[in-house]
Amino acid sequence: VIFDFEGEVLRPLAERAAKACPLKDAAGMLRSFHYAGSMALAGQPDAAATWGRLARTSFLRAYWQEAGRAPVRLFPEDPGEAAAVLGFFEVEKALYELLYEIKNRPDWVRVPLAGLLHVLDHRPEATQV
């Protein structure tokens, strides 16, 4: 089992080390896919959107499947509830990224802002096997 795909340098170490819902890490991974596609395919919004959608779908399909095999329940059993929790953590992460970029790389603000708008416009996938 892998938790905490990345650190959040603006948060205190104690907060980063605290136990949290695994969907928080999954949301961080999804945001990382968005960043990777946005930066690697800058200037190609259709290609970036397609890559991001494929990466997201593949990751979530495998994540839901493997999490369903865990010996303990890692998040809500109801797929709609799990998707809502994931969406919450994606919004939280995008807001964190937006603050970070405003403070450190204002030229990159477009990336978390686009991600935040996407999450608010689309319901996260809740397909579980």
Side-chain angles (χ1 to χ4, degrees):
V1 176
I2 299 172
F3 290 98
D4 195 17
F5 296 106
E6 62 146 46
E8 295 181 337
V9 295
L10 296 180
R11 297 191 194 276
L13 182 58
E15 186 178 329
R16 287 183 278 157
K19 292 183 182 185
C21 176
L23 290 176
K24 185 171 185 166
D25 288 327
M29 194 70 200
L30 294 173
R31 293 294 312 129
S32 293
F33 291 145
H34 178 253
Y35 257 82
S38 296
M39 299 311 290
L41 299 167
Q44 302 175 61
D46 291 340
T50 299
W51 185 89
R53 189 172 46 255
L54 291 171
R56 178 185 184 88
T57 301
S58 296
F59 174 79
L60 283 176
R61 184 178 298 122
Y63 188 86
W64 293 132
Q65 185 176 9
E66 291 304 314
R69 294 179 182 151
V72 295
R73 197 82 183 107
L74 300 174
F75 43 78
E77 189 170 350
D78 177 81
E81 290 177 13
V85 173
L86 177 62
F88 168 80
F89 285 129
E90 283 188 89
V91 168
E92 179 184 54
K93 181 69 173 179
L95 289 171
Y96 168 86
E97 293 165 352
L98 185 59
L99 177 62
Y100 181 87
E101 300 302 8
I102 288 169
K103 289 181 174 183
N104 298 287
R105 298 182 292 209
D107 292 345
W108 288 28
V109 165
R110 64 180 172 75
V111 178
L113 188 56
L116 179 60
L117 293 173
H118 178 80
V119 172
L120 293 174
D121 286 343
H122 298 88
R123 183 180 172 97
E125 300 82 8
T127 304
Q128 289 186 342
V129 176

